[in-house]
Each structure stands twice: as structure tokens, then as C-alpha cells.
Amino acid sequence: MRILIAEDDPVSRRLLEVTLHKWGYEVIACPDGMAAWQILQRPDTPSLAILDWMMPGMDGLQVCREVRQQAAEPYIYVLLLTAKSQKTDIIAGLEAGADDYLTKPFDANELRMRLRAGRRILDLQAELILVREALRDQATHDSLTNLWNRATIYEILQRELDHIRRTNTTVSVILVDIDYFKRINDTYGHLIGDAVLRETAHCMQAVLRPYDNIGRYGGEEFLLVLPECDTAGAMTLAERLRTTIATKALTLAEGMTPLTVSLGVATSSLARETESLISAADAALYRAKNSGRNRVELATVADVTAESVLKGSMA
Ligand code: GH3
Ligand code: MG
Ligand code: MG
Ligand code: MG
């Protein structure tokens, strides 16, 4: 573990450095607060710092305040080293954001134990961050395919549509639905069905550009959100997805007939509201299904009009 030491007195600094080395720490030592603050702002900053209070230029307290004002992560554990031992001084140090303090001349064993306490806190914090990241991942991803889940892909589309209102570009969506998927479940069982869903998801992901988004929209339905992609681009991509899946012999079960998908494409030039755009793509997908499946259909103005008429009649 790396520790930063800021101490203006060369003898004390050397002593600290040697002691910490002996305990197995990797040490970065600097002679004043300014140098310490420079290092603490780096992305690869040590997460534990021992700061002397009184130093020329920027003192330990000022460094402490700056550290607490910058981004909260990675957390930097600060131990203030001070010749001041008045209660009011200690309170001032803690108020500035120090986690702990030690009065000089310090007792080596005490320092050792206090550093250990600091490490425990840093370890706990790292663990919390991992858990939080895992939770965030769970909340935004579909657990079977690891694609974005329905809520997240919907949000992504909303964000993209907001964006194009400002930038005057085009975003396209593709709704993809596996053909006769129920048969796979019925013939080979639900587990193979799950494996087919995962395979299909990965197969599509491999065809996409890095900035395209794909989410699991329903059971065997996927929604793709394609930023800065016009009708022609979206149709080409949809066709590539269709052929890629149709020609990929899924070997998940003996005698399995090639899997196919039907796709509905819609672009923001047709509809600029999230719901309308998705339902336009859905109408196109419905046509693709009715025209025999394993094909791509493009949404038209009629799909959007039909949608608003339907909405009107329900209102
Ligand atoms: P179509 O060509 O008209 O789309 O026919 P289909 O059989 O694909 O469509 P249908 O909507 O009739 O059936 C979809 C099936 O998908 C029914 C459901 O049991 C299955 N399904 C939904 N989610 C999952 C899942 O997570 N795992 C598995 N194995 N099956 C699922
Ligand atoms: Mg000093
Ligand atoms: Mg289906
Ligand atoms: Mg379906």
C-alpha cells in the first residue's frame, strides 16, 4: 500500500520514510503542502496521507480542506501529524477533514496501529464501492443476456431523442423479435430457450457499432437504439442482423432448424416521441411477422398516424 508523507523537516521526514518502509509501505515523500496537494489530485494518488500541520506555503490543514473539497472518490484517508496538542487544535484539524491525528513526537507503535485503522476504513470503503457498482449493474442490465434491461434502453432512447432535438441529427430504432421462439422452448426445453436468447443477444452485439445500444425489451424481443443513424443506415444494419442470425447455425441442440428474426425499423424523422417511435417500429415488426417472418420492414407515416388514431379513439 502506498502512503504519502508531507513533512517539511528533513530529519522527521526521513525517519517517517524509513519507518514506513520497514512496515512494508511504499512511500512518496514531499517537503511541503503544495507538493502534497499536487500529488493528491492525480488519479493514481495514494489513498492514505500523513500530513504535517505546520509547513511553509500550504499547511497540512489547508491540504486537508482541499482534499475534502475535491471529488469524494477515491477516498483519501488523512492522518494529521502535529506538534500542537491542545484540544482546540485537534478539533480544528478534524474540522478541516482529517480522519485522525497524532501528536509529535509520535510513538512508532501508535502510528502503526493508527495506520492499520486507516487501512481498515479504506478497505471497507473499497468494498462498498464494489457492492454499489454491482448493484448498479444489476439494476440496469438484464440478468440472462447481460444487455441493458427494458427500463434502461427506454431511458437511453429518451436521452437520444432529447439530444437530437438540440442537435438536429437522426436516431433510429430497431425492434427485433425471434421467430417461432415458443417452438424452441416447446421442443428443446426452457434452458435451451434461454441459451438461444443469450446466443442471439451476443450475435447481435457483435454486429453493432460501439456506440449503438441494445437492450432486452421483452421475452424474446430486443430494442436497438442507434444514435446518428438515418433510415438507410438502420435498414442496412437491420438486414445485416437478420442475415447474420439466419446464417449462423445455432448448434445448441441436435437437429435445430436455423433461427430467424423479424425486424421493425423506425427513425426519428418519423416520430420524435419515445412511445411513438417504438410503436412505429412495433407496427413495422408486426408487418414483418405477417409477411412471413425472417424479414425487415420499415415504419411509414401511416404507422405513426395509425398509432395516433388508435390513441385518439381510446382517449
Ligand atoms: P412469433 O414468430 O410470432 O414471434 O412467435 P413466437 O413463438 O416467437 O412468439 P410468442 O410471443 O408466441 O412466444 C414467445 C415465447 O417466448 C413465449 C415465452 O414462453 C418465451 N419466453 C419469454 N421469455 C423467455 C425467457 O426468458 N426464456 C425462455 N426460455 N423463453 C422465454
Ligand atoms: Mg512542519
Ligand atoms: Mg417471437
Ligand atoms: Mg415477441
Side-chain angles (χ1 to χ4, degrees), residues 1-63:
M1 174 160 204
R2 288 180 313 143
I3 297 190
L4 175 77
I5 304 172
E7 164 67 83
D8 58 331
D9 176 57
V11 179
S12 310
R13 187 168 67 238
R14 187 70 197 137
L15 176 68
L16 256 178
E17 206 175 345
V18 171
T19 313
L20 294 178
H21 254 143
K22 207 171 62 193
W23 293 338
Y25 290 103
E26 194 184 317
V27 180
I28 301 171
C30 50
D32 59 63
M34 206 47 158
W37 174 228
Q38 294 296 330
I39 293 169
L40 290 168
Q41 290 176 87
R42 291 187 198 153
D44 64 338
T45 168
S47 51
L48 219 160
I50 301 177
L51 306 177
D52 182 27
W53 183 319
M54 284 189 289
M55 291 183 285
M58 205 173 173
D59 68 20
L61 231 58
Q62 283 173 296
V63 177

Short mmCIF file of all heavy atoms in Angstrom, two decimals, residues 1-63:
data_model
loop_
_atom_site.label_atom_id
_atom_site.label_comp_id
_atom_site.label_asym_id
_atom_site.label_seq_id
_atom_site.Cartn_x
_atom_site.Cartn_y
_atom_site.Cartn_z
N MET A 1 0.83 -1.20 0.00
CA MET A 1 0.00 0.00 0.00
C MET A 1 0.86 1.26 0.00
O MET A 1 1.90 1.32 0.67
CB MET A 1 -0.89 -0.02 1.24
CG MET A 1 -1.67 1.24 1.39
SD MET A 1 -3.07 0.99 2.45
CE MET A 1 -4.13 2.27 1.89
N ARG A 2 0.41 2.27 -0.76
CA ARG A 2 1.20 3.49 -0.87
C ARG A 2 0.73 4.57 0.10
O ARG A 2 -0.47 4.75 0.30
CB ARG A 2 1.15 4.01 -2.30
CG ARG A 2 1.95 3.14 -3.25
CD ARG A 2 1.89 3.66 -4.66
NE ARG A 2 0.51 3.98 -5.00
CZ ARG A 2 0.16 5.01 -5.75
NH1 ARG A 2 1.08 5.83 -6.22
NH2 ARG A 2 -1.10 5.23 -6.03
N ILE A 3 1.70 5.26 0.70
CA ILE A 3 1.37 6.34 1.63
C ILE A 3 2.11 7.61 1.20
O ILE A 3 3.26 7.55 0.78
CB ILE A 3 1.81 5.99 3.08
CG1 ILE A 3 1.04 4.77 3.58
CG2 ILE A 3 1.61 7.18 4.02
CD1 ILE A 3 1.22 4.51 5.07
N LEU A 4 1.40 8.72 1.28
CA LEU A 4 2.04 10.00 1.00
C LEU A 4 2.43 10.64 2.33
O LEU A 4 1.64 10.70 3.27
CB LEU A 4 1.06 10.91 0.26
CG LEU A 4 1.56 12.32 0.00
CD1 LEU A 4 2.56 12.34 -1.16
CD2 LEU A 4 0.41 13.26 -0.29
N ILE A 5 3.67 11.13 2.39
CA ILE A 5 4.11 11.87 3.57
C ILE A 5 4.41 13.30 3.14
O ILE A 5 5.11 13.51 2.16
CB ILE A 5 5.44 11.31 4.15
CG1 ILE A 5 5.33 9.82 4.48
CG2 ILE A 5 5.85 12.08 5.38
CD1 ILE A 5 6.69 9.23 4.84
N ALA A 6 3.86 14.26 3.88
CA ALA A 6 4.26 15.65 3.65
C ALA A 6 4.80 16.17 4.98
O ALA A 6 4.08 16.25 5.97
CB ALA A 6 3.08 16.48 3.18
N GLU A 7 6.07 16.51 4.98
CA GLU A 7 6.74 16.96 6.22
C GLU A 7 7.92 17.84 5.81
O GLU A 7 8.74 17.43 4.99
CB GLU A 7 7.19 15.71 7.00
CG GLU A 7 8.21 15.94 8.08
CD GLU A 7 7.70 16.76 9.26
OE1 GLU A 7 7.07 16.19 10.16
OE2 GLU A 7 7.94 17.99 9.25
N ASP A 8 7.94 19.07 6.36
CA ASP A 8 9.00 19.98 5.93
C ASP A 8 10.33 19.73 6.62
O ASP A 8 11.38 20.06 6.07
CB ASP A 8 8.56 21.44 6.11
CG ASP A 8 8.20 21.74 7.56
OD1 ASP A 8 7.75 20.80 8.25
OD2 ASP A 8 8.34 22.91 7.97
N ASP A 9 10.30 19.13 7.78
CA ASP A 9 11.56 18.88 8.49
C ASP A 9 12.23 17.62 7.92
O ASP A 9 11.68 16.52 8.02
CB ASP A 9 11.28 18.71 9.98
CG ASP A 9 12.55 18.35 10.73
OD1 ASP A 9 13.52 19.12 10.64
OD2 ASP A 9 12.58 17.27 11.35
N PRO A 10 13.43 17.80 7.31
CA PRO A 10 14.05 16.67 6.60
C PRO A 10 14.34 15.46 7.50
O PRO A 10 14.21 14.33 7.05
CB PRO A 10 15.36 17.25 6.05
CG PRO A 10 15.43 18.66 6.45
CD PRO A 10 14.23 19.04 7.23
N VAL A 11 14.71 15.74 8.74
CA VAL A 11 15.06 14.62 9.62
C VAL A 11 13.81 13.81 9.95
O VAL A 11 13.80 12.58 9.82
CB VAL A 11 15.75 15.14 10.92
CG1 VAL A 11 16.09 13.97 11.84
CG2 VAL A 11 17.01 15.93 10.57
N SER A 12 12.74 14.49 10.35
CA SER A 12 11.49 13.79 10.65
C SER A 12 10.98 13.06 9.42
O SER A 12 10.45 11.95 9.50
CB SER A 12 10.41 14.76 11.09
OG SER A 12 10.88 15.61 12.09
N ARG A 13 11.11 13.72 8.27
CA ARG A 13 10.60 13.11 7.03
C ARG A 13 11.34 11.81 6.74
O ARG A 13 10.73 10.79 6.44
CB ARG A 13 10.79 14.09 5.87
CG ARG A 13 10.14 13.63 4.58
CD ARG A 13 10.08 14.72 3.54
NE ARG A 13 11.39 15.11 3.04
CZ ARG A 13 11.88 16.35 3.09
NH1 ARG A 13 11.19 17.33 3.64
NH2 ARG A 13 13.07 16.62 2.61
N ARG A 14 12.66 11.85 6.88
CA ARG A 14 13.48 10.68 6.62
C ARG A 14 13.12 9.55 7.60
O ARG A 14 12.99 8.39 7.22
CB ARG A 14 14.96 11.07 6.75
CG ARG A 14 15.92 10.00 6.35
CD ARG A 14 15.90 9.78 4.84
NE ARG A 14 16.52 8.50 4.52
CZ ARG A 14 16.05 7.62 3.65
NH1 ARG A 14 14.95 7.87 3.00
NH2 ARG A 14 16.68 6.49 3.41
N LEU A 15 12.95 9.94 8.86
CA LEU A 15 12.63 8.96 9.89
C LEU A 15 11.29 8.25 9.58
O LEU A 15 11.18 7.03 9.63
CB LEU A 15 12.54 9.65 11.26
CG LEU A 15 12.12 8.75 12.43
CD1 LEU A 15 13.21 7.72 12.73
CD2 LEU A 15 11.81 9.58 13.68
N LEU A 16 10.32 9.08 9.21
CA LEU A 16 8.99 8.53 8.85
C LEU A 16 9.11 7.57 7.66
O LEU A 16 8.55 6.47 7.67
CB LEU A 16 8.06 9.67 8.46
CG LEU A 16 6.99 10.12 9.45
CD1 LEU A 16 6.23 11.28 8.87
CD2 LEU A 16 6.05 8.98 9.82
N GLU A 17 9.86 8.03 6.68
CA GLU A 17 10.01 7.26 5.45
C GLU A 17 10.61 5.89 5.75
O GLU A 17 10.09 4.86 5.30
CB GLU A 17 10.91 8.05 4.51
CG GLU A 17 10.68 7.74 3.06
CD GLU A 17 11.52 8.64 2.15
OE1 GLU A 17 12.06 9.68 2.61
OE2 GLU A 17 11.63 8.29 0.96
N VAL A 18 11.68 5.90 6.52
CA VAL A 18 12.36 4.64 6.85
C VAL A 18 11.44 3.73 7.65
O VAL A 18 11.33 2.52 7.37
CB VAL A 18 13.66 4.95 7.65
CG1 VAL A 18 14.28 3.67 8.19
CG2 VAL A 18 14.65 5.69 6.78
N THR A 19 10.75 4.32 8.64
CA THR A 19 9.85 3.51 9.48
C THR A 19 8.74 2.86 8.65
O THR A 19 8.47 1.67 8.77
CB THR A 19 9.20 4.42 10.56
OG1 THR A 19 10.23 5.20 11.16
CG2 THR A 19 8.52 3.60 11.62
N LEU A 20 8.13 3.66 7.78
CA LEU A 20 7.01 3.13 6.97
C LEU A 20 7.49 2.05 6.01
O LEU A 20 6.82 1.05 5.79
CB LEU A 20 6.31 4.25 6.21
CG LEU A 20 5.57 5.28 7.07
CD1 LEU A 20 4.95 6.36 6.21
CD2 LEU A 20 4.48 4.61 7.90
N HIS A 21 8.68 2.28 5.45
CA HIS A 21 9.27 1.29 4.56
C HIS A 21 9.42 -0.04 5.26
O HIS A 21 9.09 -1.10 4.74
CB HIS A 21 10.66 1.76 4.09
CG HIS A 21 10.63 2.20 2.66
ND1 HIS A 21 11.36 3.26 2.21
CD2 HIS A 21 9.95 1.71 1.59
CE1 HIS A 21 11.13 3.43 0.92
NE2 HIS A 21 10.26 2.50 0.53
N LYS A 22 9.93 0.07 6.48
CA LYS A 22 10.18 -1.13 7.30
C LYS A 22 8.87 -1.89 7.51
O LYS A 22 8.84 -3.11 7.57
CB LYS A 22 10.77 -0.69 8.65
CG LYS A 22 11.64 -1.74 9.28
CD LYS A 22 12.38 -1.19 10.50
CE LYS A 22 11.41 -0.74 11.57
NZ LYS A 22 12.02 0.07 12.64
N TRP A 23 7.76 -1.17 7.60
CA TRP A 23 6.46 -1.82 7.83
C TRP A 23 5.83 -2.30 6.52
O TRP A 23 4.69 -2.79 6.50
CB TRP A 23 5.49 -0.84 8.52
CG TRP A 23 5.90 -0.48 9.91
CD1 TRP A 23 6.73 -1.19 10.74
CD2 TRP A 23 5.49 0.69 10.64
NE1 TRP A 23 6.87 -0.54 11.94
CE2 TRP A 23 6.12 0.62 11.92
CE3 TRP A 23 4.68 1.78 10.36
CZ2 TRP A 23 5.94 1.59 12.89
CZ3 TRP A 23 4.51 2.75 11.33
CH2 TRP A 23 5.14 2.66 12.58
N GLY A 24 6.53 -2.10 5.43
CA GLY A 24 6.04 -2.64 4.16
C GLY A 24 5.26 -1.67 3.30
O GLY A 24 4.66 -2.06 2.30
N TYR A 25 5.24 -0.42 3.68
CA TYR A 25 4.52 0.56 2.86
C TYR A 25 5.43 1.11 1.77
O TYR A 25 6.64 1.22 1.95
CB TYR A 25 4.02 1.73 3.72
CG TYR A 25 2.91 1.36 4.68
CD1 TYR A 25 3.18 1.17 6.04
CD2 TYR A 25 1.60 1.21 4.22
CE1 TYR A 25 2.16 0.84 6.92
CE2 TYR A 25 0.59 0.88 5.09
CZ TYR A 25 0.87 0.69 6.45
OH TYR A 25 -0.14 0.36 7.30
N GLU A 26 4.80 1.49 0.67
CA GLU A 26 5.52 2.17 -0.38
C GLU A 26 5.31 3.65 -0.10
O GLU A 26 4.17 4.08 0.10
CB GLU A 26 4.87 1.79 -1.71
CG GLU A 26 5.66 2.13 -2.94
CD GLU A 26 4.87 1.78 -4.19
OE1 GLU A 26 4.25 0.69 -4.22
OE2 GLU A 26 4.86 2.62 -5.11
N VAL A 27 6.40 4.43 -0.04
CA VAL A 27 6.27 5.80 0.43
C VAL A 27 6.58 6.84 -0.65
O VAL A 27 7.53 6.70 -1.41
CB VAL A 27 7.23 6.03 1.63
CG1 VAL A 27 7.11 7.47 2.14
CG2 VAL A 27 6.93 5.04 2.74
N ILE A 28 5.71 7.86 -0.71
CA ILE A 28 6.02 9.02 -1.54
C ILE A 28 6.16 10.18 -0.57
O ILE A 28 5.22 10.49 0.16
CB ILE A 28 4.87 9.30 -2.53
CG1 ILE A 28 4.66 8.09 -3.43
CG2 ILE A 28 5.17 10.56 -3.35
CD1 ILE A 28 3.43 8.18 -4.30
N ALA A 29 7.34 10.78 -0.52
CA ALA A 29 7.57 11.83 0.46
C ALA A 29 7.73 13.17 -0.23
O ALA A 29 8.33 13.26 -1.29
CB ALA A 29 8.83 11.50 1.27
N CYS A 30 7.15 14.21 0.39
CA CYS A 30 7.36 15.55 -0.17
C CYS A 30 7.53 16.57 0.97
O CYS A 30 7.06 16.36 2.08
CB CYS A 30 6.26 15.94 -1.14
SG CYS A 30 4.62 15.70 -0.50
N PRO A 31 8.23 17.68 0.65
CA PRO A 31 8.68 18.60 1.69
C PRO A 31 7.69 19.71 2.03
O PRO A 31 7.95 20.49 2.94
CB PRO A 31 9.95 19.20 1.09
CG PRO A 31 9.70 19.18 -0.39
CD PRO A 31 8.81 18.01 -0.66
N ASP A 32 6.58 19.82 1.29
CA ASP A 32 5.63 20.88 1.65
C ASP A 32 4.22 20.55 1.19
O ASP A 32 3.99 19.59 0.45
CB ASP A 32 6.08 22.23 1.06
CG ASP A 32 6.21 22.17 -0.44
OD1 ASP A 32 5.19 21.95 -1.11
OD2 ASP A 32 7.35 22.31 -0.94
N GLY A 33 3.28 21.37 1.63
CA GLY A 33 1.86 21.12 1.37
C GLY A 33 1.49 21.23 -0.09
O GLY A 33 0.66 20.48 -0.60
N MET A 34 2.13 22.19 -0.78
CA MET A 34 1.82 22.40 -2.19
C MET A 34 2.12 21.15 -3.00
O MET A 34 1.30 20.69 -3.81
CB MET A 34 2.67 23.58 -2.70
CG MET A 34 2.07 24.28 -3.86
SD MET A 34 0.33 24.62 -3.57
CE MET A 34 0.09 25.94 -4.69
N ALA A 35 3.30 20.57 -2.76
CA ALA A 35 3.72 19.36 -3.48
C ALA A 35 2.75 18.22 -3.15
O ALA A 35 2.36 17.43 -4.02
CB ALA A 35 5.14 18.99 -3.10
N ALA A 36 2.35 18.15 -1.88
CA ALA A 36 1.42 17.09 -1.46
C ALA A 36 0.09 17.23 -2.19
O ALA A 36 -0.45 16.26 -2.72
CB ALA A 36 1.20 17.16 0.05
N TRP A 37 -0.42 18.45 -2.25
CA TRP A 37 -1.71 18.69 -2.90
C TRP A 37 -1.65 18.34 -4.39
O TRP A 37 -2.60 17.80 -4.95
CB TRP A 37 -2.14 20.15 -2.66
CG TRP A 37 -3.37 20.60 -3.39
CD1 TRP A 37 -3.51 21.74 -4.11
CD2 TRP A 37 -4.63 19.92 -3.48
NE1 TRP A 37 -4.77 21.81 -4.64
CE2 TRP A 37 -5.48 20.71 -4.28
CE3 TRP A 37 -5.13 18.70 -2.98
CZ2 TRP A 37 -6.79 20.35 -4.59
CZ3 TRP A 37 -6.43 18.33 -3.28
CH2 TRP A 37 -7.25 19.15 -4.07
N GLN A 38 -0.50 18.61 -5.03
CA GLN A 38 -0.33 18.23 -6.44
C GLN A 38 -0.50 16.72 -6.61
O GLN A 38 -1.21 16.24 -7.49
CB GLN A 38 1.07 18.62 -6.94
CG GLN A 38 1.33 20.12 -7.00
CD GLN A 38 0.43 20.82 -8.01
OE1 GLN A 38 0.03 20.23 -9.00
NE2 GLN A 38 0.08 22.07 -7.73
N ILE A 39 0.17 15.99 -5.73
CA ILE A 39 0.14 14.52 -5.84
C ILE A 39 -1.26 13.99 -5.53
O ILE A 39 -1.77 13.08 -6.20
CB ILE A 39 1.19 13.89 -4.88
CG1 ILE A 39 2.59 14.26 -5.38
CG2 ILE A 39 1.02 12.38 -4.79
CD1 ILE A 39 3.70 13.94 -4.41
N LEU A 40 -1.91 14.59 -4.54
CA LEU A 40 -3.24 14.11 -4.13
C LEU A 40 -4.32 14.35 -5.19
O LEU A 40 -5.41 13.80 -5.11
CB LEU A 40 -3.64 14.76 -2.80
CG LEU A 40 -2.83 14.26 -1.59
CD1 LEU A 40 -3.07 15.15 -0.38
CD2 LEU A 40 -3.16 12.81 -1.26
N GLN A 41 -4.03 15.19 -6.16
CA GLN A 41 -5.02 15.45 -7.21
C GLN A 41 -4.89 14.48 -8.38
O GLN A 41 -5.74 14.44 -9.26
CB GLN A 41 -4.84 16.87 -7.76
CG GLN A 41 -5.26 17.92 -6.77
CD GLN A 41 -4.97 19.30 -7.32
OE1 GLN A 41 -5.76 19.89 -8.02
NE2 GLN A 41 -3.80 19.82 -6.99
N ARG A 42 -3.78 13.72 -8.38
CA ARG A 42 -3.58 12.78 -9.50
C ARG A 42 -4.56 11.62 -9.40
O ARG A 42 -4.95 11.23 -8.30
CB ARG A 42 -2.15 12.21 -9.44
CG ARG A 42 -1.09 13.22 -9.75
CD ARG A 42 0.23 12.47 -9.82
NE ARG A 42 1.35 13.37 -9.69
CZ ARG A 42 2.54 13.01 -9.21
NH1 ARG A 42 2.73 11.76 -8.78
NH2 ARG A 42 3.51 13.87 -9.14
N PRO A 43 -4.93 11.05 -10.52
CA PRO A 43 -5.85 9.90 -10.48
C PRO A 43 -5.25 8.71 -9.74
O PRO A 43 -5.97 7.91 -9.15
CB PRO A 43 -6.06 9.54 -11.96
CG PRO A 43 -5.40 10.60 -12.76
CD PRO A 43 -4.53 11.43 -11.88
N ASP A 44 -3.91 8.61 -9.76
CA ASP A 44 -3.29 7.45 -9.09
C ASP A 44 -2.73 7.84 -7.72
O ASP A 44 -1.75 7.29 -7.25
CB ASP A 44 -2.17 6.89 -9.97
CG ASP A 44 -1.04 7.91 -10.14
OD1 ASP A 44 -1.30 9.13 -9.97
OD2 ASP A 44 0.10 7.50 -10.44
N THR A 45 -3.38 8.80 -7.08
CA THR A 45 -2.92 9.27 -5.76
C THR A 45 -2.92 8.14 -4.73
O THR A 45 -3.79 7.27 -4.77
CB THR A 45 -3.82 10.42 -5.27
OG1 THR A 45 -3.53 10.65 -3.88
CG2 THR A 45 -5.29 10.07 -5.37
N PRO A 46 -1.96 8.17 -3.80
CA PRO A 46 -2.07 7.22 -2.68
C PRO A 46 -3.36 7.53 -1.93
O PRO A 46 -3.77 8.68 -1.87
CB PRO A 46 -0.85 7.54 -1.82
CG PRO A 46 0.06 8.35 -2.66
CD PRO A 46 -0.78 9.04 -3.68
N SER A 47 -3.98 6.54 -1.33
CA SER A 47 -5.26 6.82 -0.66
C SER A 47 -5.06 7.08 0.83
O SER A 47 -6.00 7.33 1.56
CB SER A 47 -6.24 5.68 -0.89
OG SER A 47 -5.63 4.47 -0.57
N LEU A 48 -3.80 7.03 1.27
CA LEU A 48 -3.50 7.34 2.67
C LEU A 48 -2.43 8.43 2.70
O LEU A 48 -1.42 8.32 2.00
CB LEU A 48 -3.00 6.06 3.34
CG LEU A 48 -3.45 5.77 4.76
CD1 LEU A 48 -3.29 4.32 5.09
CD2 LEU A 48 -2.75 6.63 5.76
N ALA A 49 -2.68 9.47 3.49
CA ALA A 49 -1.71 10.57 3.55
C ALA A 49 -1.42 10.94 4.99
O ALA A 49 -2.33 11.06 5.81
CB ALA A 49 -2.25 11.78 2.79
N ILE A 50 -0.14 11.10 5.28
CA ILE A 50 0.27 11.63 6.58
C ILE A 50 0.76 13.05 6.34
O ILE A 50 1.74 13.26 5.61
CB ILE A 50 1.41 10.77 7.20
CG1 ILE A 50 0.94 9.32 7.37
CG2 ILE A 50 1.85 11.36 8.53
CD1 ILE A 50 2.04 8.40 7.91
N LEU A 51 0.03 14.01 6.89
CA LEU A 51 0.38 15.41 6.63
C LEU A 51 0.82 16.10 7.91
O LEU A 51 0.13 16.04 8.93
CB LEU A 51 -0.84 16.16 6.08
CG LEU A 51 -1.54 15.58 4.86
CD1 LEU A 51 -2.77 16.43 4.51
CD2 LEU A 51 -0.59 15.53 3.67
N ASP A 52 1.96 16.74 7.82
CA ASP A 52 2.41 17.58 8.92
C ASP A 52 1.50 18.81 8.94
O ASP A 52 1.03 19.26 7.90
CB ASP A 52 3.87 17.99 8.66
CG ASP A 52 4.42 18.82 9.80
OD1 ASP A 52 3.93 18.67 10.94
OD2 ASP A 52 5.34 19.63 9.53
N TRP A 53 1.22 19.33 10.11
CA TRP A 53 0.34 20.50 10.19
C TRP A 53 1.06 21.74 9.70
O TRP A 53 0.68 22.38 8.74
CB TRP A 53 -0.16 20.69 11.64
CG TRP A 53 -1.12 21.83 11.82
CD1 TRP A 53 -1.04 23.07 11.26
CD2 TRP A 53 -2.32 21.82 12.60
NE1 TRP A 53 -2.11 23.84 11.64
CE2 TRP A 53 -2.91 23.10 12.48
CE3 TRP A 53 -2.93 20.86 13.41
CZ2 TRP A 53 -4.09 23.43 13.14
CZ3 TRP A 53 -4.09 21.21 14.06
CH2 TRP A 53 -4.68 22.48 13.92
N MET A 54 2.20 22.03 10.37
CA MET A 54 2.90 23.27 10.03
C MET A 54 3.96 23.04 8.97
O MET A 54 4.94 22.33 9.19
CB MET A 54 3.52 23.87 11.29
CG MET A 54 2.45 24.53 12.15
SD MET A 54 3.11 25.46 13.50
CE MET A 54 3.70 24.19 14.58
N MET A 55 3.69 23.62 7.80
CA MET A 55 4.63 23.54 6.68
C MET A 55 4.60 24.89 5.98
O MET A 55 3.58 25.58 6.02
CB MET A 55 4.21 22.44 5.70
CG MET A 55 4.34 21.04 6.24
SD MET A 55 3.91 19.78 5.00
CE MET A 55 2.14 19.90 4.95
N PRO A 56 5.69 25.26 5.32
CA PRO A 56 5.69 26.54 4.60
C PRO A 56 4.74 26.48 3.41
O PRO A 56 4.48 25.41 2.88
CB PRO A 56 7.14 26.69 4.14
CG PRO A 56 7.69 25.31 4.14
CD PRO A 56 6.98 24.56 5.21
N GLY A 57 4.23 27.61 2.99
CA GLY A 57 3.30 27.67 1.85
C GLY A 57 1.94 27.17 2.28
O GLY A 57 1.23 27.83 3.04
N MET A 58 1.59 26.01 1.84
CA MET A 58 0.29 25.44 2.18
C MET A 58 0.48 24.52 3.39
O MET A 58 1.29 23.59 3.33
CB MET A 58 -0.14 24.61 0.96
CG MET A 58 -1.60 24.42 0.79
SD MET A 58 -1.84 23.60 -0.81
CE MET A 58 -3.58 23.29 -0.71
N ASP A 59 -0.25 24.75 4.48
CA ASP A 59 -0.04 23.87 5.63
C ASP A 59 -0.97 22.63 5.54
O ASP A 59 -1.81 22.53 4.66
CB ASP A 59 -0.19 24.63 6.95
CG ASP A 59 -1.61 25.09 7.23
OD1 ASP A 59 -2.55 24.53 6.63
OD2 ASP A 59 -1.78 26.03 8.04
N GLY A 60 -0.75 21.71 6.46
CA GLY A 60 -1.48 20.44 6.43
C GLY A 60 -2.99 20.62 6.47
O GLY A 60 -3.74 19.88 5.83
N LEU A 61 -3.43 21.62 7.23
CA LEU A 61 -4.86 21.88 7.35
C LEU A 61 -5.47 22.33 6.02
O LEU A 61 -6.54 21.89 5.64
CB LEU A 61 -5.06 22.99 8.39
CG LEU A 61 -6.06 22.69 9.50
CD1 LEU A 61 -5.65 21.45 10.26
CD2 LEU A 61 -6.18 23.88 10.44
N GLN A 62 -4.74 23.17 5.33
CA GLN A 62 -5.21 23.65 4.02
C GLN A 62 -5.28 22.51 3.01
O GLN A 62 -6.25 22.40 2.25
CB GLN A 62 -4.28 24.74 3.48
CG GLN A 62 -4.48 26.09 4.15
CD GLN A 62 -3.42 27.07 3.70
OE1 GLN A 62 -2.23 26.89 3.96
NE2 GLN A 62 -3.83 28.11 3.00
N VAL A 63 -4.26 21.66 3.04
CA VAL A 63 -4.26 20.50 2.14
C VAL A 63 -5.50 19.65 2.41
O VAL A 63 -6.22 19.22 1.51
CB VAL A 63 -2.98 19.65 2.30
CG1 VAL A 63 -3.04 18.41 1.41
CG2 VAL A 63 -1.74 20.47 1.98
#
